[in-house]
């Protein structure tokens, strides 16, 4: 059983597990299935907007797909959430990537 199948099997028991959904999206990126990766991240963030680590990854994915406005949206939204959660590490990573992307 490959990693995606294992993750999907685990999700059957807990379909809203943010960690597993994040891991699934990362596996889709590895397979270069960017549509499924993006969809998985968006669904995850719609259900769990405080899962701050996913903002960085979806923004990077969108950046790689030349979707500048969407990437900027997720960087900014991620920074907003990280600030709200007082997660300085996540905030700094998002801000650094955001500034590197813009400048």
């Amino acid at each position: 059983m490959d990693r995606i199948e294992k993750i999907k099997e685990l999700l059957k028991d807990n379909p809203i597990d943010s960690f597993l959904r994040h891991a699934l999206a990362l596996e889709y990126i590895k397979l270069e299935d960017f549509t499924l990766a993006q969809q998985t991240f968006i669904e995850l963030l719609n259900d769990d907007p405080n899962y701050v680590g996913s903002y960085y990854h979806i923004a990077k994915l969108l950046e790689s797909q030349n979707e500048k406005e969407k990437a900027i949206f997720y960087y900014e939204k991620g920074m907003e959430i990280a600030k709200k959660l007082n997660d300085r590490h996540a905030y700094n990573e998002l801000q650094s990537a955001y500034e590197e992307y813009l400048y």
Side-chain angles (χ1 to χ4, degrees):
M1 186 181 305
D2 71 3
R3 293 174 63 90
I4 289 177
E5 288 177 20
K6 286 179 186 176
I7 294 169
K8 285 182 175 181
E9 190 65 32
L10 292 169
L11 281 167
K12 286 180 184 177
D13 293 332
N14 191 0
I16 60 169
D17 185 300
S18 296
F19 177 81
L20 290 173
R21 293 164 77 190
H22 180 87
L24 182 60
L26 293 177
E27 290 299 319
Y28 287 139
I29 289 172
K30 287 180 189 175
L31 293 177
E32 297 184 0
D33 191 336
F34 303 124
T35 301
L36 265 178
Q38 182 177 339
Q39 179 183 341
T40 303
F41 279 130
I42 289 170
E43 290 172 0
L44 161 59
L45 291 171
N46 284 340
D47 293 340
D48 187 358
N50 290 337
Y51 202 77
V52 73
S54 290
Y55 290 98
Y56 175 88
H57 290 282
I58 191 170
K60 280 293 187 187
L61 170 61
L62 292 164
E63 192 179 316
S64 75
Q65 300 298 299
N66 297 315
E67 295 192 47
K68 185 174 183 171
E69 289 180 23
K70 289 181 182 179
I72 289 170
F73 169 81
Y74 282 104
Y75 280 130
E76 290 175 346
K77 183 70 174 173
M79 287 186 289
E80 175 188 318
I81 297 295
K83 189 173 187 178
K84 181 183 92 171
L85 297 173
N86 200 29
D87 186 338
R88 292 180 184 179
H89 177 74
Y91 182 88
N92 290 337
E93 280 192 349
L94 285 159
Q95 183 180 34
S96 177
Y98 174 75
E99 289 176 356
E100 184 178 311
Y101 184 51
L102 289 182
Y103 310 108

